[in-house]
Amino acid sequence: MAKFVIAGKANCPYYAKAELLADYLQKNLPDFRIFKITQHPDVWEEWLEDICEKNKWDHRTSPIIWRELLDRGGKGLLLGGYNEFLEHAQLYYGVTSSMTTDLMMVIAKENLEAHVQEEVEKRTLKDLISPLQVWIASASNNACYHIIPILISGEVFGTHREISLTLFDREQMESYLESLVVEIKDLASPILRSVSLCTNAEDAFLRAQVIIILDDSTDEEVHSLESCLRSRVPLCRLYGYLMEKNAHESVKVIVGGKTFVNLKTALLMHYAPNIARNIIAVALGVEGQAKAAVARKMRTTSASIKDVIIWGNISGNNYVDLRKAKVYNYESAIKGPPGYCHSVLNLIFDSEWVAKEFVMTLRNLSSTGKQFGGILAAHSIATTLKYWYHGSPPGEIVSLGIMSEGQFGIPEGVVFSMPVKFENGTWVVLTDLEDISLSKQIINFLTDDLIQEKRVAFGDLLTFQPVKEERKESIHSNVGTAEEKEQAVSDVNIFISEMVLAQSCMRSRVAEDTERLPKLAAELLAAN
């Protein structure tokens, strides 16, 4: 089979004549095939130079015609221009062209008009396929630098879904954002339609379909825990207003970071009630830290640990629940087929480690925040977004901070981390899991700081009061068997250890926040 490629300028009369001759041959010869490449006159010379350089050809005019060597492979065999093609048709097929010069000019003009119209239609069609509008607030945060390559890799939204990325931050960070935009463009991601920056609050979240809220940073001191809590209100009020005003009605808002994540989520829900259902808090970072601690103890990989549940305050007083935790591919006396797993608690015989060392490890990570860096924050946010769009792994438990509707006995109106699964673009709370109920006393412990944070933020409470430690006996006094009692004591030990130190953890975050939020809120409000 003979396959010829004919390329030329859209307004070239000899290209038009070669086209018609090739069309005639293809129609009348069963083994003759052609492929046409039409280029606008403005780009023709550059395109011709590139194709000749690539194939080591020497050709200067329009059209250029070559034969594809389908049966041999290789780069193809250059035939030449119109004259060479005409000679080839006469020699091999006994066919020539009798087209007049006037007709050649008319057809060339029509070819140019048709090519221009086709290009316009292609651009219009591309514009109709709108890219996903993704906004990142506080884009100067270190986590932003790490999350961007994941977002534009296609791993989160899909390899065929184009995105338009906008970086939002205060005006003082504009030069940094400009450098970041240039660096992102240099990545040349095939799914990144555009990337831009925004420092004007009035334009924030315009047409946004996905909004990622990161921790903010400012240059003003925060002298107390209470003032730090109250400083969250102005910015969340502004963000909530802008989300409802500018964002798409089905916008997905995901709140990450390591300080007051539950509180920020609750405030955004309060000030953006129309989209409150689509605002969630990321808990996978804490979950990842817990899995890593368990994996080190069991001498396996973090990825082998599944179904660890984070209850309560993601960035504060939480309960890491191992009762459903499983380990896969574990070297032990009992082995099974692929997919076989063991209960983590059944394999960790050191109850002292679970009750004390494990708790202290996670508490130290939470209080310092040093281990919850940009990479972990970025991965946690990206993974949660991926699950939101494509569903979580079947049968796997995911921890997520959402507004409680009374599940598990948790008071309504509290943003609380709990077990869920993602499916069909949303999440479902796993209320049907067996043996994961929490006692009323533990729920009260877990919710007390969340309620207090919100009341202090709104000014209904002047000072944040640490939760008083109650006797452990009062918590597990109704436990029946000795085995159940031992498990309850272990659970309470884990919980109480975190509880007693929660206040000091929060106040250490205040020290970390000495250069954070209030100035940004004032600047954005002034701009608004």
Side-chain angles (χ1 to χ4, degrees), residues 68-223:
E68 294 284 301
L69 303 178
L70 300 179
D71 56 341
R72 304 180 194 175
K75 64 184 179 181
L77 179 65
L78 177 65
L79 186 62
Y82 168 74
N83 291 332
E84 290 78 8
F85 182 60
L86 183 61
E87 290 175 1
H88 181 86
Q90 291 174 334
L91 179 62
Y92 285 90
Y93 309 114
V95 177
T96 187
S97 174
S98 58
M99 182 186 296
T100 64
T101 302
D102 290 340
L103 183 57
M104 287 167 55
M105 298 301 293
V106 170
I107 294 177
K109 183 179 179 180
E110 291 176 352
N111 278 348
L112 178 60
E113 293 174 352
H115 177 73
V116 171
Q117 181 63 31
E118 182 180 359
E119 290 298 309
V120 170
E121 291 175 356
K122 285 181 179 179
R123 286 195 297 270
T124 303
L125 182 60
K126 188 175 182 179
D127 291 338
L128 289 175
I129 307 174
S130 300
L132 187 69
Q133 301 291 328
V134 180
W135 282 70
I136 302 179
S138 303
S140 61
N141 186 286
N142 185 43
C144 178
Y145 194 83
H146 295 283
I147 197 174
I148 289 172
I150 307 176
L151 294 178
I152 64 177
S153 68
E155 180 182 342
V156 176
F157 304 112
T159 56
H160 301 291
R161 185 66 186 270
E162 288 188 331
I163 68 173
S164 178
L165 184 63
T166 305
L167 310 178
F168 176 53
D169 212 315
R170 52 190 173 131
E171 190 174 354
Q172 287 86 339
M173 302 306 300
E174 185 169 358
S175 60
Y176 171 79
L177 295 184
E178 288 174 348
S179 300
L180 188 56
V181 166
V182 172
E183 192 170 355
I184 295 169
K185 290 180 178 178
D186 291 344
L187 294 176
S189 168
I191 70 167
L192 182 64
R193 175 80 71 86
S194 65
V195 57
S196 59
L197 62 89
C198 176
T199 57
N200 181 14
E202 191 64 31
D203 297 330
F205 313 134
L206 195 62
R207 298 185 300 277
Q209 294 168 281
V210 175
I211 299 175
I212 300 171
I213 306 292
L214 302 177
D215 282 331
D216 306 288
S217 60
T218 65
D219 301 321
E220 187 166 323
E221 290 189 12
V222 180
H223 298 284

Side-chain angles (χ1 to χ4, degrees), residues 20 42-43 58 75 142 155 157 229 233 253-254 369 423 432 439 477 480 523:
L20 290 181
D42 295 340
V43 301
D58 183 17
K75 64 184 179 181
N142 185 43
E155 180 182 342
F157 304 112
L229 290 169
V233 175
V253 182
I254 186 165
E423 61 182 9
D432 57 347
S439 70
S477 59
E523 291 167 357

Side-chain angles (χ1 to χ4, degrees), residues 277-343:
R277 169 66 184 175
N278 279 356
I279 303 176
I280 62 175
V282 177
L284 290 187
V286 182
E287 186 178 312
Q289 291 177 335
K291 289 178 178 178
V294 171
R296 287 192 295 270
K297 176 66 176 178
M298 301 184 69
R299 297 184 179 182
T300 185
T301 61
S302 302
S304 299
I305 308 297
K306 305 291 184 183
D307 298 345
V308 174
I309 303 174
I310 308 300
W311 297 94
N313 193 342
I314 296 166
S315 52
N317 177 32
N318 51 55
Y319 174 24
V320 180
D321 191 345
L322 300 180
R323 287 176 293 177
K324 289 294 181 181
K326 303 178 183 67
V327 57
Y328 291 80
N329 304 317
Y330 190 69
E331 292 294 331
S332 67
I334 302 176
K335 295 184 179 180
Y340 181 78
C341 62
H342 297 273
S343 167

Side-chain angles (χ1 to χ4, degrees), residues 3-9 14-25 32-39 44 47 62-68 79-82 85:
K3 178 183 177 182
F4 288 85
V5 179
I6 302 176
K9 290 192 294 185
Y14 292 100
Y15 175 62
K17 194 170 185 178
E19 269 190 296
L20 290 181
L21 177 58
D23 288 339
Y24 176 84
L25 292 173
F32 189 96
R33 295 291 181 270
I34 61 169
F35 180 76
K36 302 176 186 178
I37 301 176
T38 305
Q39 296 291 341
W44 163 253
W47 181 89
S62 173
I64 179 173
I65 304 168
W66 68 89
R67 180 177 176 180
E68 294 284 301
L79 186 62
Y82 168 74
F85 182 60

